[in-house]
Amino acid sequence: MAAIKGKNKVLASNPLQSLTAAALLLPGVMLGVAQAAEDDEFNFQYGRYEESHRNLGDIKSQFDPISVDSLQAGSKISLTDRVKFAFNFIQDTWGGATPISTAPSVRQGNQPLVVNNTLVGATPYLQTGTPQVVYFDNQLNPLKAVMDENTGEIMSLGVDKQLAHTMALASPETRKEGNFKLGYEWDEAAIDVGGGISSERDYESRFGNLGGRWDFNQKLTSLNLGLSYTNSDTFARQDHDASTYIDYVGYARNMKDTSDVQITKGRMLTGNRQDWATNMGLTQILSKDALLKFGVGYTRSTGYMANPYKAVTVFFVEPVGGQVGEYSETIPYVGQVKAFLEKRPDLRNQWNFSTGYVQYINPLDAALHFDYRFFHDDWGINAHTFEADWVQPLGAGWTVTPRVRYYSQDAADFYKPYLAVMHATDSDLNNKKDLNYLPANYSSDQRLSGYGALSGGLVLTKQFAKGLTLETGFEYYNHKGSFKLGSGGEGDYADFSYYTANAALKVNLETVGRGMSGGEHDHHAMHHNHGAPLPAGVMFGHVMTTPGDIMIGYRYMYSRQDGRMLHGHELAADQDIVSNGCNLEPGLTCRTSPAFMNMHMHMLDIMYAPTNWLNLMVMPQFMDMDMKVRSLGGVTPDVNRDHLHGGHETGGVGDTGLYAMFKLYQGAGHDINMGVGVTAPTGAVDIKLKRMHTKDEGYIHYGMQLGSGTWDFKPSITYTGKVDDWSWGAQLNGTKRLENRNQAGFAFGDQLQSTAWGSYSLFNWLSASVRGIYTVQGAVKHQFNAVIGDTSEGSTPIMGDVNPKEGSMDNPKNYGGRYWDVGFGLNATIPSGSLTGNTFSVEWLQPVEDDVNGYQLERNGTLNATWSYGF
Amino acid sequence: MKLLLIILPLVASLSGCAVAPWERGNLAKPQMALDPNPMQTELLGHSHGSREAAGAGSSGTGGGCGCY
């Protein structure tokens, strides 16, 4: 029995995970001879999540709701017949308004910010602000008094049934994740080991997992087992504005003062959490047209599991006494408002049970998928998920899949929209005595409330003959308290909806390889080896000359600026920058300059050859950047004026390139081609700084915007040559802004770049290159449109342009320059085996000389890495 | 454990209805894959996981704070 118990522990599990694991492992092998093993592939996906505005009662939030841009790229490859390797890179950037607390509407958690009779925003109010007190009846219901506007007299009283979220803006933040899986397959079994890391500004998660699969019963039955461990750290810098309003007394031990001398005393919440998860999945073929699956899972989570930015509104209630005169009978109680950072138990046991059924519909060649999942945890939450998909192939490689999903959950035991405790308090923050009157745990996070969610969507896929699959999908999700199974759902104030849209591309490397057996394969391998290997940083260098050929590529670029400030090509002293770096307006001096800036760019490269002399290219880009700002020497840091709060981040979709490339000349060992194209302004140029220190801020620095905002013309001309093991090339390329200014009011300068390189083949698959690059770029033209807000440093508002102008990076003149770089690169083209036709290249660009316009940070270098695959 | 006691006999009883390898053509079709759209499923799973209490269970596969 003990043995069985022990076994049972291992077998318990998380069904969604087991199904996912099953999905990852099974298609193919489980089904035995009828289906091949999972193919090698490269995949790429862009996803967009956008939430609706929240219902705040009488006030409309001025903030845009949360939106998330996600980027995912991954590959699965067979290292040998039996050893499989998969890796993924995932990046999400989000920003926007999110609820930080909930209170009765009479509390007025969101107040319109009116300066000089102009509505300039809406501000969250957690503790201070009017009213600081709320009146309650005998049942501790909050009372809403209707006042006469002129006399201030109370006209009527009633129970305030309307709750409202207090919304606060989260500035853009980026999460990056890398993960891998290494597996070994036998004929009827497989094991795999995997792991990864996920990192963002305030959270880091490291995880590892083990999985196994065993097919038996003539491969009619398949058993999956999985075990995973995750260790996560929270290090959440508390919002400056919220610091004075949120009560952190429950977290005295987890709070540490940030030691950054450039910031007035800040608070950082730290915590650690660990998750152990096990799962078991069973898949059974029922007939030649149906299969069934089961999963069980168990997850044990310990440590800090609360949300470090969410607070619970607490009313400390006491008899009102004689304060309200004639209303003393109808208003027995008055509550003093405080907001406490939420607390959750430090242990959570979670169980999952799931089942699924897949039925082939013969007359329509379609498949119906139905899944049900039950979740239970010891926080008091039971949840049900029902999902149905209809996968309908339409012919010619098209498949359409309508999906529908229903989810319902109970509230956690400690969930309360707000708390009212029968005890008086004082107005001091972080008073330990308050804790005596609060429950052990409390949260008003909507995720722990009782509600239901109905969602539905569509996936459309098109498979091309060459093993290329494009997929696009959409889901609309509606969260409502009234959708909860049974009764007791949260009020309609918490209702919201969102949509998720995605576009994905998959290249099946096996299909391509199989489709090109024999001579044709050799032809392709040779084709992609033909011509000169290009350094990773050179684009538009090759033209494919076989009509119908497709090339998929992925480019990554990382560049960093760090350290010294330059003026022209000389070092700039801080005092010089202070006096002359921010001369956008007469008399303006600089207070800050960048300490460092990182830029990452991911670019997908899709190229098609309709004829032997023309190639068409589409290049979507994804950017993310972060910058830290420092006070200049001799300037006393002023937290109300300089945005010195731990760095800025932006990220998301960048500009999209559309190009045509022409073969101008092709001779023995010499090629000349020309590229013409445009970039469409799909990247945002209107990202603003978050309102901080009770002051509105304008646009974030020019260099931190995600695109140019203008349509840009991008011509290029390239010459490449090759003799034996030596190859060389030269290119001239330019960027001409086709508009004088973008929607935010400015335009980046035009750019001209010339480059020349030489390359030597060390082996038949590997070459090394050296390259010289000279770049000229103009300064930013015009400047950001004025953003009207309160520019005062005191309490009396003065309306004016609140765009930041006291940082050197906020001056349009401090952009562009003349740059010399030297590049060192390696280029590998796989000549044989399962990865034939794949090209990998890397190049490091080392700055040799900078001659910058105005005052700018010195460049440290740029890393280019590319992968491409032609078929 | 109880679930296993239910499932295993069920599986045992089902194993009688053998499907020969040459009869598995329909099962091998892409629309019959356990998850026909794994990339979208992963993206939606991430959204659901950051908005629903039951999503928090699927750890060990990365994710993030999901604090927003």
Side-chain angles (χ1 to χ4, degrees):
Chain A
M1 195 61 203
I4 295 169
K5 263 188 180 171
K7 196 176 178 189
N8 189 22
K9 270 187 186 167
V10 176
L11 294 182
S13 109
N14 165 344
L16 181 63
Q17 230 177 298
S18 67
L19 292 185
T20 313
L24 287 172
L25 289 167
L26 286 182
V29 179
M30 175 205 73
L31 299 171
V33 287
Q35 198 170 351
E38 194 168 62
D39 289 338
D40 288 359
E41 72 169 37
F42 163 78
N43 57 59
F44 178 89
Q45 176 169 260
Y46 166 70
R48 169 89 182 166
Y49 168 98
E50 202 165 300
E51 220 165 85
S52 63
H53 275 281
R54 305 287 176 134
N55 173 15
L56 300 181
D58 301 337
I59 290 182
K60 192 175 185 313
S61 176
Q62 305 295 307
F63 302 140
D64 285 333
I66 281 282
S67 65
V68 187
D69 286 300
S70 300
L71 175 66
Q72 182 182 345
S75 190
K76 294 174 204 159
I77 46 177
S78 304
L79 300 179
T80 72
D81 278 354
R82 296 194 177 276
V83 181
K84 312 283 176 186
F85 183 67
F87 60 93
N88 286 290
F89 172 77
I90 302 156
Q91 178 171 313
D92 311 315
T93 302
W94 63 89
T98 183
I100 50 166
S101 194
T102 306
S105 68
V106 64
R107 164 73 188 92
Q108 297 178 21
N110 306 279
Q111 303 204 344
L113 181 67
V114 177
V115 182
N116 289 356
N117 297 322
T118 310
L119 183 73
V120 296
T123 16
Y125 278 88
L126 286 178
Q127 201 215 1
T128 56
T130 31
Q132 290 189 41
V133 294
V134 167
Y135 296 101
F136 289 83
D137 68 9
N138 281 317
Q139 280 77 48
L140 287 189
N141 294 310
L143 293 172
K144 187 170 192 170
V146 179
M147 317 280 274
D148 184 299
E149 274 184 20
N150 299 319
T151 62
E153 268 186 48
I154 298 174
M155 306 294 290
S156 62
L157 278 174
V159 171
D160 180 16
K161 290 178 181 159
Q162 182 64 51
L163 292 165
H165 286 311
T166 297
M167 304 296 288
L169 195 64
S171 40
E173 204 173 302
T174 299
R175 176 183 82 90
K176 295 183 184 193
E177 178 185 328
N179 65 55
F180 78 96
K181 190 161 271 189
L182 183 65
Y184 188 89
E185 289 178 2
W186 289 271
D187 291 342
E188 294 185 330
I191 53 166
D192 60 71
V193 55
I197 185 164
S198 163
S199 180
E200 58 203 281
R201 186 160 57 181
D202 51 6
Y203 196 78
E204 186 177 282
S205 193
R206 300 153 294 268
F207 52 92
N209 46 59
L210 280 172
R213 193 199 78 238
W214 177 41
D215 306 325
F216 53 99
N217 189 15
Q218 289 122 38
K219 291 199 175 186
L220 289 171
T221 312
S222 194
L223 179 70
N224 285 278
L225 295 172
L227 172 71
S228 74
Y229 170 70
T230 308
N231 189 313
S232 312
D233 285 315
T234 297
F235 28 88
R237 189 187 290 273
Q238 297 298 304
D239 189 317
H240 267 90
D241 283 11
S243 280
T244 23
Y245 312 132
I246 295 183
D247 198 304
Y248 301 109
V249 66
Y251 286 101
R253 277 188 220 157
N254 302 69
M255 282 292 175
K256 69 178 186 197
D257 288 338
T258 51
S259 56
D260 191 334
V261 290
Q262 296 237 340
I263 301 174
T264 51
K265 192 172 166 187
R267 285 196 180 87
M268 176 94 82
L269 190 152
T270 59
N272 176 265
R273 110 176 231 183
Q274 299 184 45
D275 302 88
W276 280 99
T278 58
N279 61 71
M280 185 197 76
L282 192 74
T283 309
Q284 173 67 41
I285 293 176
L286 297 178
S287 71
K288 63 184 175 58
D289 290 328
L291 55 91
L292 188 65
K293 57 193 180 180
F294 298 98
V296 278
Y298 166 69
T299 303
R300 178 183 167 87
S301 306
T302 53
Y304 176 72
M305 281 175 272
N307 184 315
Y309 305 112
K310 291 209 190 287
V312 174
T313 299
V314 181
F315 296 98
F316 288 87
V317 178
E318 61 182 315
V320 74
Q323 290 174 34
V324 285
E326 59 179 296
Y327 291 97
S328 295
E329 284 186 10
T330 39
I331 309 179
Y333 296 107
V334 60
Q336 163 85 38
V337 182
K338 287 191 175 182
F340 291 82
L341 207 59
E342 68 160 39
K343 287 200 84 169
R344 301 185 187 186
D346 56 10
L347 172 65
R348 189 181 189 192
N349 289 295
Q350 300 149 86
W351 293 266
N352 273 296
F353 305 93
S354 68
T355 182
Y357 179 74
V358 188
Q359 173 71 49
Y360 180 68
I361 314 291
N362 220 336
L364 295 168
D365 189 32
L368 171 70
H369 293 244
F370 181 78
D371 291 286
Y372 167 73
R373 176 188 179 219
F374 173 68
F375 170 92
H376 170 79
D377 73 4
D378 56 5
W379 285 6
I381 299 172
N382 289 314
H384 305 268
T385 312
F386 302 86
E387 193 168 359
D389 298 358
W390 181 277
V391 192
Q392 180 65 60
L394 300 173
W398 290 94
T399 303
V400 62
T401 308
R403 306 181 86 168
V404 59
R405 179 179 186 270
Y406 171 71
Y407 172 83
S408 174
Q409 73 172 49
D410 301 333
D413 297 333
F414 53 90
Y415 170 82
K416 285 275 185 303
Y418 67 93
L419 290 169
V421 296
M422 198 53 135
H423 202 279
T425 186
D426 51 33
S427 57
D428 290 350
L429 268 184
N430 299 317
N431 184 343
K432 274 190 187 160
K433 274 190 263 174
D434 288 343
L435 281 181
N436 298 329
Y437 312 110
L438 297 179
N441 296 292
Y442 38 87
S443 173
S444 57
D445 189 342
Q446 67 201 4
R447 279 165 271 213
L448 299 175
S449 67
Y451 69 90
L454 191 59
S455 56
L458 205 67
V459 191
L460 189 65
T461 60
K462 160 78 179 162
Q463 181 159 13
F464 295 87
K466 282 194 163 190
L468 174 70
T469 304
L470 297 180
E471 174 183 314
T472 180
F474 181 85
E475 186 198 41
Y476 177 75
Y477 182 100
N478 202 353
H479 165 126
K480 273 186 192 293
S482 59
F483 282 171
K484 181 179 174 296
L485 276 180
S487 59
E490 198 54 33
D492 61 4
Y493 75 94
D495 292 353
F496 72 98
S497 61
Y498 69 74
Y499 78 81
T500 310
N502 72 308
L505 169 152
K506 271 189 288 192
V507 183
N508 186 324
L509 305 173
E510 301 262 319
T511 305
V512 171
R514 277 202 294 267
M516 298 191 306
S517 57
E520 203 191 345
H521 196 158
D522 295 341
H523 156 72
H524 274 260
M526 277 181 66
H527 167 69
H528 293 289
N529 274 328
H530 108 321
L534 289 173
V538 175
M539 296 200 287
F540 318 118
H542 272 321
V543 172
M544 299 184 297
T545 51
T546 309
D549 267 5
I550 296 173
M551 195 204 74
I552 302 290
Y554 192 79
R555 289 178 175 272
Y556 167 72
M557 191 181 92
Y558 164 66
S559 66
R560 181 173 170 89
Q561 292 172 277
D562 188 359
R564 306 182 296 182
M565 286 291 289
L566 300 176
H567 177 45
H569 56 267
E570 286 170 356
L571 289 184
D574 276 10
Q575 192 49 51
D576 183 18
I577 305 170
V578 170
S579 307
N580 306 310
C582 295
N583 55 355
L584 190 60
E585 290 167 15
L588 210 56
T589 56
C590 272
R591 299 179 54 82
T592 57
S593 71
F596 65 78
M597 177 170 170
N598 294 309
M599 187 186 82
H600 304 265
M601 185 176 80
H602 298 264
M603 193 188 282
L604 190 65
D605 190 346
I606 306 162
M607 193 164 160
Y608 173 66
T611 68
N612 64 355
W613 52 270
L614 171 69
N615 287 185
L616 300 174
M617 290 172 81
V618 180
M619 298 176 95
Q621 290 178 63
F622 304 86
M623 317 284 300
D624 73 279
M625 288 164 267
D626 63 280
M627 175 189 275
K628 193 166 180 185
V629 168
R630 69 176 175 96
S631 280
L632 286 162
V635 173
T636 310
D638 179 351
V639 95
N640 286 325
R641 199 163 163 190
D642 313 327
H643 24 87
L644 303 164
H645 36 74
H648 297 142
E649 291 183 17
T650 56
V653 177
D655 291 341
T656 305
L658 307 162
Y659 304 96
M661 286 174 55
F662 304 90
K663 175 122 291 209
L664 294 186
Y665 173 80
Q666 186 171 23
H670 302 279
D671 288 286
I672 299 175
N673 64 63
M674 182 177 76
V676 287
V678 290
T679 55
T682 46
V685 288
D686 58 353
I687 302 173
K688 287 182 181 162
L689 290 156
K690 180 186 169 188
R691 179 184 158 85
M692 289 293 282
H693 312 293
T694 72
K695 297 290 175 206
D696 287 296
E697 302 272 8
Y699 290 107
I700 203 164
H701 335 301
Y702 299 94
M704 294 281 284
Q705 303 290 345
L706 303 178
S708 70
T710 48
W711 283 86
D712 300 336
F713 177 58
K714 297 208 153 196
S716 69
I717 187 153
T718 313
Y719 160 74
T720 54
K722 185 169 168 39
V723 168
D724 298 331
D725 287 341
W726 293 93
S727 61
W728 56 88
Q731 184 183 76
L732 197 63
N733 68 68
T735 304
K736 169 72 186 159
R737 314 290 168 188
L738 296 177
E739 293 165 277
N740 204 22
R741 52 178 72 195
N742 60 30
Q743 61 171 58
F746 71 97
F748 283 110
D750 295 336
Q751 180 176 301
L752 185 67
Q753 187 175 71
S754 54
T755 179
W757 63 92
S759 173
Y760 178 73
S761 288
L762 304 169
F763 305 102
N764 70 340
W765 58 276
L766 182 71
S767 62
S769 65
V770 178
R771 182 159 79 101
I773 307 116
Y774 180 67
T775 312
V776 188
Q777 187 178 10
V780 169
K781 285 180 278 186
H782 309 292
Q783 57 177 298
F784 280 122
N785 296 327
V787 175
I788 302 303
D790 176 11
T791 59
S792 72
E793 283 155 42
S795 53
T796 313
I798 303 167
M799 302 306 286
D801 181 7
V802 294
N803 276 317
K805 295 190 178 99
E806 296 182 312
S808 61
M809 60 288 174
D810 297 316
N811 186 350
K813 296 174 186 171
N814 296 338
Y815 282 84
R818 292 143 297 281
Y819 309 98
W820 276 105
D821 296 88
V822 175
F824 303 96
L826 287 173
N827 189 307
T829 300
I830 313 296
S832 61
S834 62
L835 294 176
T836 306
N838 284 270
T839 298
F840 301 91
S841 52
V842 290
E843 186 181 34
W844 173 256
L845 298 186
Q846 180 62 42
V848 177
E849 192 176 288
D850 292 3
D851 177 14
V852 302
N853 295 332
Y855 296 83
Q856 294 182 44
L857 204 51
E858 193 173 34
R859 301 173 310 143
N860 288 51
T862 300
L863 177 74
N864 286 299
T866 68
W867 163 81
S868 66
Y869 185 72
F871 51 94
Chain B
M1 192 61 212
K2 278 181 188 166
L3 197 74
L4 268 185
L5 289 176
I6 299 167
I7 292 170
L8 288 177
L10 188 69
V11 169
S13 65
L14 291 169
S15 61
C17 38
V19 181
W22 57 89
E23 293 178 314
R24 296 182 192 179
N26 288 342
L27 295 165
K29 292 189 171 183
Q31 59 267 42
M32 289 294 284
L34 287 177
D35 186 349
N37 304 103
M39 295 197 72
Q40 198 210 26
T41 300
E42 191 169 333
L43 187 77
L44 299 186
H46 196 60
S47 303
H48 299 151
S50 69
R51 286 287 172 258
E52 296 172 351
S58 49
S59 64
T61 49
C65 179
C67 291
Y68 53 85

